[in-house]
Amino acid sequence: QVQLLETGGGLVQAGGSLRLSCAASGFFFSSYAMGWFRQAPGKEREFVAYISSSSTIRYYGDSVKGRFTISRDNVQNTVYLQMNSLQPEDTAVYYCARHRGGSYYYEKSYAYWGQGTQVTVFS
């Protein structure tokens, strides 16, 4: 079955960096676009980044543009999120998801989700 496992979250000081990984299994990874979302306490889940199956197309949410980079390794079946210049407002649970079609921006366009990894940024 489809499984997505996020790792790499943690506690980091403002201005620092983290790299999240999402290991995929149970499907032909290189055929699917992938996305990252995040959810802060008391807030709705928010789009962070999207990458097409061949990495030729990438989109970012406005709040992370220029600081975060999404990438993927279709041999290792893993998608990454490099997060630089982290700020306290980046504190959230981060989820990776498999795109199923439709706009990259909306949760409903993703069929499978990981369990999430917590990122906490302190000032």
Side-chain angles (χ1 to χ4, degrees), residues 1-5 22-32 34 76-78 98 112:
Q1 71 276 25
V2 174
Q3 289 191 322
L4 299 170
L5 180 64
C22 172
S25 61
F27 64 101
F28 196 50
F29 180 74
S30 60
S31 291
Y32 289 89
M34 300 292 294
Q76 297 295 325
N77 290 352
T78 302
R98 192 184 87 175
Y112 293 94

Side-chain angles (χ1 to χ4, degrees), residues 56-110:
T56 53
I57 299 172
R58 306 179 201 210
Y59 296 116
Y60 297 93
D62 288 342
S63 60
V64 308
K65 247 176 230 179
R67 301 187 297 124
F68 290 12
T69 302
I70 189 170
S71 62
R72 65 188 294 159
D73 184 332
N74 284 348
V75 174
Q76 297 295 325
N77 290 352
T78 302
V79 59
Y80 304 98
L81 186 68
Q82 178 65 44
M83 306 186 295
N84 298 330
S85 302
L86 283 161
Q87 299 301 316
E89 52 266 34
D90 294 315
T91 294
V93 177
Y94 284 72
Y95 301 89
C96 72
R98 192 184 87 175
H99 189 248
R100 65 175 172 185
S103 171
Y104 63 88
Y105 189 81
Y106 297 107
E107 288 184 62
K108 64 182 181 181
S109 298
Y110 297 81

